[in-house]
């Protein structure tokens, strides 16, 4: 019987497996998709997350960015990082680097689905594999979470994300966030001649039609050719009743998600994956819920607060003007999240 079975080889699952292997645990990863796995995301990795991945021995190739810029039709405000740069990394590039590290550590990645889960006081079995614990990192709409009845009741708010890459040289060393009545458009430099554009919105429509709400960005991209296809994700908001059920622990997006507004998904997934491994090493899975809340509360609070303001018609148009009027406060918040 192995120590840990990980469901999902995305960033949260792969990082959990890598940390567990480095801690001396026996690990197997279940992943039905062949890698590298792509996903609609902003592709900007915070400085703290880059450092953590480096400590895990994951070698990343990307484009550094040095802060966050908010823009609307009349305002622009920059917040540069003080601790060090983040890294714009294609999701497939990140995934490939994680898979290479798993291979270096001889962690098997089994191409199979989790399927029905059975457990007792000593072990859990899924996908025909028995382990002391199961870490479910199977995404935003986690089948494991649904199977174990851990999903909470979601409200009527539905936000989705669409992402498209463009062949163009990045025009700034910052991640730009364009705000409009429709939502937000994030521009992340991910290569010397490539940027990723992710639109977050509750409106229906195509990626191209959504760009009409961001005329300054559309002008920037007027001579750029699309790279690849448009990818989508959502609904983004996922409420979860609990992060544990017996010997099963949820991590990453499977453990609950507020929104992509602050771009902290990977950083939170990495921090909570470290807590998960520590809890199973101590054979104290019941400690994980409190640990998860402790290391994620600040990001969840800031994201929820910003989303609350974004959803208020009177407040939403004032977010960027407020950041421009109080640049020191804006810089402090951005650097707390970096």
């Amino acid at each position: 019987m192995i120590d840990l079975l990980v469901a999902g080889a995305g960033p949260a699952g792969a990082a959990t497996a890598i940390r567990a292997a480095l801690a001396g645990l026996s690990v197997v990863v279940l992943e039905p998709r062949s890698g590298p796995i792509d996903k609609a995301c902003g592709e900007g990795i915070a400085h703290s997350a880059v450092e953590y991945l480096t400590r895990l021995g994951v070698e990343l190739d990307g484009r550094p960015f040095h802060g966050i810029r908010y823009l609307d039709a009349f305002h622009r405000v920059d917040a540069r990082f003080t601790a060090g740069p983040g890294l714009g990394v294609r999701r497939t590039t990140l995934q490939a680097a994680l898979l290479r590290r798993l291979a270096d550590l001889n962690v098997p990645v089994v191409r199979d689905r989790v399927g029905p889960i059975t457990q007792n006081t000593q072990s859990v079995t899924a996908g025909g594999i028995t382990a002391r614990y199961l870490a479910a990192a199977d995404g935003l709409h986690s089948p494991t979470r649904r199977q174990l009845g851990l999903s909470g009741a979601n409200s009527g708010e539905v936000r989705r994300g669409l992402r498209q890459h463009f062949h163009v040289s990045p025009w700034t060393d910052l991640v730009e966030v364009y705000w409009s009545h429709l939502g937000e458009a994030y521009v992340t430099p991910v290569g010397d001649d490539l940027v990723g554009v992710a639109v977050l919105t509750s409106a229906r429509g195509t990626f191209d039609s959504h760009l009409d709400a961001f005329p300054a960005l559309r002008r920037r991209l007027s001579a750029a050719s699309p790279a690849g296809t448009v990818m989508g994700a959502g609904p983004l908001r996922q409420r979860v009743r609990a992060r544990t059920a017996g010997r099963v622990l949820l991590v990453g997006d499977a453990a609950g998600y507020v929104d992509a507004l602050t771009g902290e998904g990977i950083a939170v997934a990495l921090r909570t994956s470290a807590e998960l491994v520590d809890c199973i090493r101590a054979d104290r899975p019941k400690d994980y819920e409190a640990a998860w809340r402790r290391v994620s509360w600040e990001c969840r609070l800031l994201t929820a607060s910003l989303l609350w303001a974004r959803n208020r018609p009177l407040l939403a148009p004032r977010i960027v003007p407020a950041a421009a009027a109080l640049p020191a406060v804006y810089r402090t918040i951005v650097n707390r999240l970096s």
Side-chain angles (χ1 to χ4, degrees), residues 44-51 65 81 85-87 263-264 267 337-338:
I45 303 178
H47 176 73
S48 60
V50 173
E51 283 196 327
F65 62 91
F81 298 143
L87 197 64
E264 285 298 291
L337 293 170
S338 68

Side-chain angles (χ1 to χ4, degrees), residues 1-9 12-13 16-17 20 25-31 112-120 122-138 142-148 150 243-252 254 273 276-277 279-281 283 285 288:
M1 183 170 62
I2 61 171
D3 294 311
L4 179 64
L5 178 63
V6 178
T16 301
L25 302 180
S26 52
V27 192
V28 173
V29 178
L30 280 177
E31 174 53 66
D112 202 356
R113 298 185 182 278
V114 172
I117 298 168
T118 59
Q119 59 177 316
N120 55 39
Q122 300 297 320
S123 67
V124 55
T125 300
I129 299 172
T130 299
R132 291 197 304 120
Y133 292 100
L134 167 63
D138 48 354
S142 166
T144 301
R145 186 179 70 220
R146 291 198 305 270
Q147 182 180 161
L148 297 177
L150 296 177
R243 259 49 57 174
T244 61
R247 304 185 80 81
V248 181
L249 300 85
L250 306 181
V251 68
S273 71
L276 184 152
V277 172
C279 287
I280 66 170
R281 286 180 67 198
D283 207 24
Y288 177 60

Side-chain angles (χ1 to χ4, degrees), residues 115-314:
I117 298 168
T118 59
Q119 59 177 316
N120 55 39
T121 58
Q122 300 297 320
S123 67
V124 55
T125 300
I129 299 172
T130 299
R132 291 197 304 120
Y133 292 100
L134 167 63
D138 48 354
L140 199 64
H141 307 292
S142 166
T144 301
R145 186 179 70 220
R146 291 198 305 270
Q147 182 180 161
L148 297 177
L150 296 177
S151 297
N154 287 317
S155 66
E157 60 192 54
V158 176
R159 296 237 305 168
R160 296 179 175 84
L162 293 173
R163 188 207 66 201
Q164 171 75 73
H165 292 105
F166 290 89
H167 289 298
V168 62
S169 296
W171 51 87
T172 177
D173 63 352
L174 307 174
V175 168
E176 291 189 324
V177 185
Y178 293 77
W179 293 72
S180 78
H181 66 280
L182 179 126
E184 308 83 48
Y186 292 69
V187 183
T188 305
V190 293
D192 292 341
D193 60 352
L194 193 70
V195 301
V197 180
V199 176
L200 302 180
T201 181
S202 57
R204 296 283 186 174
T206 64
F207 181 89
D208 191 62
S209 68
H210 288 335
L211 278 186
D212 289 337
F214 309 97
L217 176 57
R218 184 175 275 286
R219 288 193 295 272
R220 282 281 191 188
L221 299 172
S222 60
S225 59
T229 59
V230 175
M231 296 193 71
L236 298 175
R237 186 69 168 102
Q238 298 295 321
R239 289 185 169 87
V240 176
R241 294 193 302 104
R243 259 49 57 174
T244 61
R247 304 185 80 81
V248 181
L249 300 85
L250 306 181
V251 68
D253 293 352
Y257 198 74
V258 179
D259 197 87
L261 260 175
T262 57
E264 285 298 291
I266 288 179
V268 171
L270 295 177
R271 289 196 291 269
T272 54
S273 71
E275 297 296 332
L276 184 152
V277 172
D278 288 346
C279 287
I280 66 170
R281 286 180 67 198
D283 207 24
R284 297 181 61 88
K286 291 183 179 179
D287 291 351
Y288 177 60
E289 179 73 30
W292 183 92
R293 292 181 179 277
R294 185 183 67 254
V295 300
S296 66
W297 75 268
E298 188 172 34
C299 177
R300 290 186 289 115
L301 176 62
L302 290 170
T303 303
S305 300
L306 188 57
L307 183 62
W308 180 87
R310 163 42 107 185
N311 289 334
R312 298 311 184 267
L314 292 178

